[in-house]
Amino acid sequence: ESGYETGEHAPGLKLGGCGAYKAAHHIIKTHAKVWHSYNDTWRREQRGMVGISLTSGWGEPVDPHSQTDREAAERYIQFHLGWFANPIYRGDYPEVMKNYVGKKSAQQGLGTSRLPTFSVQEKTYIKGTSDFLGIGHFTTRYVLQKNFPFLQVSGYHTDRDLAELVDPNWPAPGPKWLYSVPWGFRRLLNFIKTQYGNPLIYVTENGVAEAEQSTELCDKDRIQYLKGYINEILKALNDGVNVKAYTAWSLLDKFEWNKGFSEKFGLYHIDFKHKNKPRYPKASAHYYKKIISANGFPNPREVM
């Protein structure tokens, strides 16, 4: 969506309300081809695994007693995670996604939906092409129903008919979009368990950037973020979610999309102004070292 609809990220294309859907369609089919290629040619000898890593927030209904809010929150997840995971685990795009994009396309007078369709053969070919599901997760939103008026040019965000809100009491330790809401991660993991048959999960990205550019190595906000989110993964494990591995995002400060080097997600600070780019461990690096050494919280009393 950011690369093929708004043009905010590389490759910077602004292809209206169909570009993102077309790009995703090709990604899903290509992923399936790679999986089959490995499965047919190398798996028997190498015994490796091929999966896909998807990044998704969690959507919580503003009013859990409101059916429209619950449905809007469901759409939020289906338009994020389900967009890619549903074809791979269930054989096709989520029904709600097909319905909403189809309805909006018809309102625009288009003969076909802006969301591409898979043939029967493609559905069969794509379904089951993941030995594990990689999950990147950073934050949560409250979601409610919002009807967008008829637009001649509609797109991914207006197709969903929803609005995203945040709780002003949520900690915002880093970028403006990233609020610390650990409980959302447990709910997302349980959603995956229920929706996709409890697949093997590798958490491939989870972390937070510092709010300000700083050489400060005492990143207490990141420590609290990691502590909260890892604790929720432990709860999800107790729920029976099949989480196999966790990866903090990220080891080093690095080039972060269109934000360049201004958003620092690393456990290690890098001095980009120095030609040798020296690296210094932040307090979170020492904290995380203790967690991975103990394969959990070192002190059981730390688990809330």
Side-chain angles (χ1 to χ4, degrees):
E1 184 269 336
S2 295
Y4 291 88
E5 185 165 310
T6 67
E8 179 185 3
H9 290 173
L13 301 179
K14 299 179 180 181
L15 301 178
C18 62
Y21 296 135
K22 286 183 178 179
H25 200 68
H26 289 306
I27 288 170
I28 294 164
K29 292 201 292 184
T30 306
H31 161 80
K33 188 166 186 176
V34 170
W35 187 92
H36 281 285
S37 176
Y38 186 85
N39 192 59
D40 297 340
T41 310
W42 295 289
R43 187 188 298 275
R44 183 175 299 174
E45 178 185 349
Q46 297 182 353
R47 298 183 182 180
M49 295 194 299
V50 177
I52 192 166
S53 184
L54 306 174
T55 299
S56 180
W58 173 250
E60 183 75 8
V62 169
D63 179 2
H65 303 292
S66 164
Q67 184 175 344
T68 56
D69 284 0
R70 291 198 306 271
E71 290 174 352
E74 172 80 10
R75 287 199 302 280
Y76 178 88
I77 299 298
Q78 295 294 359
F79 268 79
H80 274 73
L81 181 65
W83 185 3
F84 294 86
N86 220 72
I88 291 170
Y89 284 95
R90 305 181 72 169
D92 200 1
Y93 291 121
E95 285 299 317
V96 69
M97 197 173 181
K98 292 193 290 184
N99 291 340
Y100 270 72
V101 181
K103 177 181 68 176
K104 299 279 185 176
S105 301
Q107 290 174 350
Q108 293 174 262
L110 301 177
T112 58
S113 174
R114 287 180 282 102
L115 182 69
T117 57
F118 295 113
S119 68
V120 174
Q121 292 79 8
E122 286 172 338
K123 291 177 184 178
T124 303
Y125 188 73
I126 293 166
K127 186 177 180 181
T129 56
S130 192
D131 303 317
F132 66 89
L133 178 60
I135 286 293
H137 175 74
F138 295 90
T139 194
T140 285
R141 292 288 186 268
Y142 278 121
V143 181
L144 76 162
Q145 170 80 24
K146 179 180 179 181
N147 293 320
F148 285 90
F150 167 70
L151 298 169
Q152 194 60 42
V153 179
S154 191
Y156 173 78
H157 282 284
T158 56
D159 285 340
R160 304 177 300 167
D161 274 352
L162 59 85
E164 303 174 32
L165 304 174
V166 297
D167 186 331
N169 294 317
W170 287 345
K176 293 180 180 179
W177 60 270
L178 206 169
Y179 292 80
S180 181
V181 195
W183 52 261
F185 202 5
R186 181 185 183 185
R187 298 187 185 193
L188 176 64
L189 291 170
N190 273 280
F191 174 88
I192 293 167
K193 173 190 171 186
T194 303
Q195 195 83 358
Y196 307 122
N198 202 16
L200 176 64
I201 294 174
Y202 291 158
V203 177
T204 48
E205 295 185 27
N206 175 241
V208 68
E210 287 103 314
E212 306 272 340
Q213 291 191 54
S214 173
T215 57
E216 218 27 79
L217 300 178
C218 187
D219 53 344
K220 292 181 180 179
D221 286 341
R222 180 177 286 107
I223 290 174
Q224 287 302 116
Y225 180 97
L226 291 173
K227 182 177 180 179
Y229 276 77
I230 292 172
N231 192 28
E232 292 299 315
I233 296 172
L234 290 172
K235 293 177 184 177
L237 280 167
N238 289 333
D239 297 334
V241 179
N242 192 15
V243 180
K244 184 69 173 178
Y246 173 85
T247 309
W249 188 263
S250 59
L251 177 66
L252 308 171
D253 290 337
K254 56 172 182 54
F255 190 87
E256 188 65 33
W257 296 94
N258 59 329
K259 301 297 182 182
F261 298 111
S262 64
E263 287 189 354
K264 300 180 184 297
F265 277 86
L267 300 175
Y268 281 76
H269 168 74
I270 298 183
D271 183 359
F272 290 107
K273 295 179 181 179
H274 194 284
K275 68 175 183 178
N276 292 328
K277 309 291 190 294
R279 305 168 183 186
Y280 307 97
K282 303 173 188 177
S284 59
H286 298 293
Y287 179 75
Y288 189 58
K289 181 179 179 180
K290 292 179 181 177
I291 290 177
I292 60 177
S293 296
N295 196 27
F297 290 106
N299 182 352
R301 289 176 295 179
E302 283 194 301
V303 181
M304 295 178 288

